[in-house]
Amino acid sequence: MGRTSTPKPHPLAPSPRRGEGERTEKSSRSSPLSALRRGGQGVRTAFTRKLLAWWARAARDLPWRRTRDPYRVLVSEFMLQQTQVSRVAEYYPRFLERFPDLGSLARAPARAVREAWDGLGYYARARNLHALAKSVAERGVAGKGVTGKGVAALPDDPEELIKLPGIGPYTAGAVASFAYEKPVAAVDTNVRRVLSRVFFGERQRVSRERMTRQRTIPPRLIWSIATALVPKDGRRAWKFNQAIMELGALICVARKPRCPQCPVRPVCRTGKARRTDARKTRRTDA
């Protein structure tokens, strides 16, 4: 009788720290990922259905969600790193008016790019975006799906995108999904928080003494869960990735999550636990 193999980690997930792989393998039978793979189709379906239904009625109308242009998606992703959406919404159209495509950005002097970015902060992002544009323009053909030699275009493969300046695992997945509608995961801070709470529970609700002994959730495990959840259809994957990020930004926020308003609370470990705690508190007060 063959042994069950450990799930292959997502290719864009960060490499595990020393010893992390052994811990993950030993606990794989009881992990949320194992549960999803063994027979969690119902959980996946319920989570996705509730999430997308909420997204359809609650999604914000943001300019970068109205396009599939890879360059415009890329600019928005660079700007949104550690910057509020309202601030990006102000700078995004002005930057695109000045640099409407990858080629114009690649040809621009560094000073002009810095001036267009001025006020957004974290100027390394502008330098990396500029370096990326020049790198792609110099290559001419920058990956799969590019037709016509000498055309400055972004790859549609996350594993090719991640090789470009300033692009990490999340941005690679986001550009592939939001520009090319590839059925791939894109795990940012919001997505990581949502998946951690839904499938692992509220790990912060322990004493300080226990907190020091509690192991963090390996990033590769979060990526694997995200990959298992992303729909295989590209358009549906686009909506799913946008929706789970929106949930983390509006409902499953960092400090005071709005669990009573959460559409996936019925399948969320944290949401269920908070509901139970609230009932116990009401009984005690009574």
Side-chain angles (χ1 to χ4, degrees), residues 102-220:
L102 204 61
S104 61
L105 179 60
R107 293 189 297 271
R111 182 175 179 179
V113 177
R114 168 63 187 256
E115 287 175 354
W117 200 274
D118 192 37
L120 270 178
Y122 298 99
Y123 294 100
R125 295 178 297 172
R127 291 192 297 271
N128 286 332
L129 181 60
H130 193 203
L132 183 155
K134 290 191 288 186
S135 174
V136 172
E138 288 170 0
R139 294 184 187 186
V141 178
K144 298 178 182 178
V146 179
T147 59
K149 195 171 183 179
V151 177
L154 290 168
D156 62 1
D157 184 349
E159 294 190 49
E160 292 298 319
L161 282 162
I162 204 171
K163 298 175 184 178
L164 297 173
I167 291 189
Y170 161 72
T171 305
V175 172
S177 177
F178 300 150
Y180 297 107
E181 295 187 349
K182 296 291 183 180
V184 296
V187 179
D188 68 350
T189 302
N190 286 329
V191 174
R192 185 180 301 112
R193 183 169 58 252
V194 170
L195 294 180
S196 296
R197 285 173 172 166
V198 169
F199 294 100
F200 293 91
E202 183 65 270
R203 299 170 70 82
Q204 285 74 25
R205 300 184 69 199
V206 295
S207 65
R208 290 186 178 181
E209 293 76 14
R210 288 185 59 197
M211 193 69 164
T212 59
R213 298 195 301 267
Q214 202 166 33
R215 295 170 180 169
T216 58
I217 303 169
R220 55 186 270 172

